[in-house]
Amino acid sequence: MADSQYNFPFRHLLGIEQLSCQDITGILDQAKAFEEVCENPDVKIIPALQKKIVVNLFFENSTRTRNSFEIAEKRLSANVINFDAASSSLSKGETLIDTATNLEAMRPDMIVMRHNAPGAHILMARHVNASIVNAGDGAHEHPTQALLDAYTMREKFGRLDGLKVAIVGDIRNSRVVRSNLWLLTKMGASITLVGPPTLMPLDMKETWPNAVFSYDFDEVIPKMDVLMMLRCQFERGTGMYISSQGEYAKHYQLNMARMEKAKKDAAVLHPGPINRGVEITSEVADGSNSLILRQVTNGVPVRMAVLYLLATGSPGAKD
Ligand code: CP
C-alpha cells in the first residue's frame, strides 16, 4: 500500500471548517491508497490499528455511516465497541458529559460520534483524551460525508477545482450541505444552492457569499457537472416548510424529464437515505448517471483514511 506521507495536524475530526486544502487532499490521497487495499482480495485487512480501541457512539439512527465506519475500523484491525444508546444508562438520565467521562475512564483511543445536537461532539472532545470523529451533529456538519462526496467527484472528473455543483433541496436542515460548502469552496468548485425559499435560510447568503442561490432548478440543471440531491428531512420538520410533497416534487424533484436537460456526463449524488419519489425518482437514483452506491463504496476507504491519519498524527496535534 502506498502511504501518502501526509501528517494530519489535528487530534480530532470535528468538521470540514477547520481543514485546509492540504488536509483535504491528504485525506483523499490516503483514501486512494486504502481503496487499493479494499479492492485487493489478497489484502482487504491490514494491521494498522490493531492496538487501538474505537468506540462507535451513535445517538441517532444510521445505516451507511455506522456500518461504513465499522467496516473501515475492521479493515484496519481496530478493536471495535458499538455503543447502543437505547440500552445505555442515558435512558436512566445520565448526562452526555457523564457518559463521556465514564467512557474516557475506560481509555478508548477513538470515539466516532453521531448526535442530534449541533456541537455535541465538541463538548465530548473537551472531556476525553480519545480522538473524536464527528459522524454527524444535528444540522451542523457531517465531515466524512463531504469527504466521500469529494472523493467520488474527484474519481469521476479527476479534479474538484472548477467543478460546477448544484446542491438541491432541504438546505435548511442539512448537515451534508454545510460540510460540502466548506469543502467544495475551499477546493475551488463553484456551488449553486437550489431549493424553495422556505428551505433556504437567508443568513446562509451572508455566511456563504461565494455560493449562488437559486429557486429555479430547471434553469440551473444544464450548467452543472454535479447534481447533489438532498434528502427531505421530515423528521427535522421539513413538512412545515413545504405545502405538499407533490408540490415540492413538481419544482425540485430530479426525474427523467429533468435529466434530459442535464449534461450527458452529469453526476447524480445523494447522501442517502433516499425518499424515492420525493426528491429523486427511482429511474434517476438507479440510472446511468447515478453515483449514489459508488458514494457508499467510497465511504469505507475515506473513513479508513480519517481513522488512520488521526491514529498516526503528530504528538503535537492541535484540538
Ligand atoms: N449519509 C448518511 O449519513 O446516511 P446514514 O444516516 O444512513 O448514516
Side-chain angles (χ1 to χ4, degrees):
M1 179 198 74
D3 194 278
S4 67
Q5 305 280 309
Y6 159 75
N7 274 321
F8 193 64
F10 297 104
R11 214 158 60 78
H12 311 289
L13 178 66
L14 300 178
I16 300 293
E17 185 178 358
Q18 80 260 37
L19 303 187
S20 66
C21 293
Q22 192 198 2
D23 298 327
I24 293 163
T25 304
I27 295 169
L28 300 185
D29 289 348
Q30 183 63 57
K32 181 68 191 153
F34 282 136
E35 186 189 332
E36 289 162 22
V37 170
C38 296
E39 300 292 326
N40 185 340
D42 294 330
V43 184
K44 279 193 173 178
I45 294 174
I46 57 170
L49 298 192
Q50 67 183 1
K51 294 189 179 150
K52 303 289 183 189
I53 295 178
V54 184
V55 179
N56 295 320
L57 189 61
F58 278 64
F59 298 96
E60 245 190 19
N61 293 344
S62 169
T63 295
R64 279 144 292 272
T65 312
R66 206 193 67 74
N67 288 299
S68 177
F69 265 112
E70 187 168 345
I71 290 171
E73 290 151 9
K74 289 185 169 166
R75 286 209 189 284
L76 294 168
S77 306
N79 301 286
V80 180
I81 310 294
N82 287 310
F83 173 93
D84 179 4
S87 64
S88 75
S89 289
L90 285 165
S91 61
K92 300 177 198 162
E94 189 164 38
T95 65
L96 182 60
I97 292 176
D98 280 342
T99 304
T101 52
N102 279 272
L103 282 173
E104 175 60 25
M106 296 179 236
R107 308 279 183 265
D109 297 293
M110 293 188 186
I111 297 175
V112 177
M113 178 173 169
R114 171 172 286 190
H115 200 283
N116 62 7
H121 62 300
I122 297 170
L123 187 69
M124 181 70 78
R126 288 198 187 125
H127 287 88
V128 299
N129 286 315
S131 288
I132 302 295
V133 182
N134 181 8
D137 64 314
H140 177 224
E141 278 230 38
H142 192 349
T144 57
Q145 180 68 44
L147 287 162
L148 74 88
D149 293 341
Y151 187 88
T152 305
M153 288 181 235
R154 196 177 77 160
E155 180 178 60
K156 174 162 173 74
F157 295 102
R159 68 193 162 92
L160 295 171
D161 186 30
L163 278 187
K164 293 185 169 54
V165 181
I167 309 181
V168 185
D170 189 357
I171 308 289
R172 173 181 289 276
N173 292 304
S174 176
R175 54 193 172 210
V176 173
V177 74
R178 285 167 181 79
S179 288
N180 264 292
L181 272 162
W182 283 116
L183 191 152
L184 292 169
T185 50
K186 282 173 200 262
M187 299 304 284
S190 69
I191 314 298
T192 304
L193 298 178
V194 185
T198 48
L199 289 177
M200 284 209 286
L202 287 177
D203 61 354
M204 285 191 79
K205 293 190 180 182
E206 286 157 31
T207 316
W208 304 104
N210 295 331
V212 173
F213 290 73
S214 173
Y215 306 135
D216 188 346
F217 191 23
D218 291 294
E219 192 266 331
V220 165
I221 287 174
K223 305 173 197 162
M224 295 295 135
D225 300 305
V226 178
L227 300 166
M228 182 185 292
M229 305 307 295
L230 298 174
R231 184 171 70 87
C232 285
Q233 300 197 40
F234 296 110
E235 78 281 11
R236 294 192 205 278
T238 302
M240 291 188 301
Y241 296 96
I242 59 174
S243 50
S244 70
Q245 290 189 19
E247 186 67 15
Y248 179 87
K250 186 174 154 195
H251 296 286
Y252 298 105
Q253 179 188 74
L254 189 56
N255 50 35
M256 288 309 269
R258 289 204 163 97
M259 280 307 292
E260 292 291 316
K261 302 178 195 164
K263 290 183 182 175
K264 284 268 172 297
D265 70 339
V268 173
L269 273 64
H270 190 302
I274 297 171
N275 294 307
R276 288 178 182 263
V278 181
E279 66 265 4
I280 190 168
T281 60
S282 288
E283 289 92 331
V284 178
D286 304 330
S288 57
N289 293 76
S290 173
L291 298 179
I292 295 172
L293 288 178
R294 190 68 201 157
Q295 289 172 269
V296 179
T297 300
N298 289 338
V300 174
V302 164
R303 291 179 171 119
M304 287 171 78
V306 167
L307 294 164
Y308 174 78
L309 289 169
L310 285 170
T312 56
S314 52
K318 297 173 276 186
D319 272 5

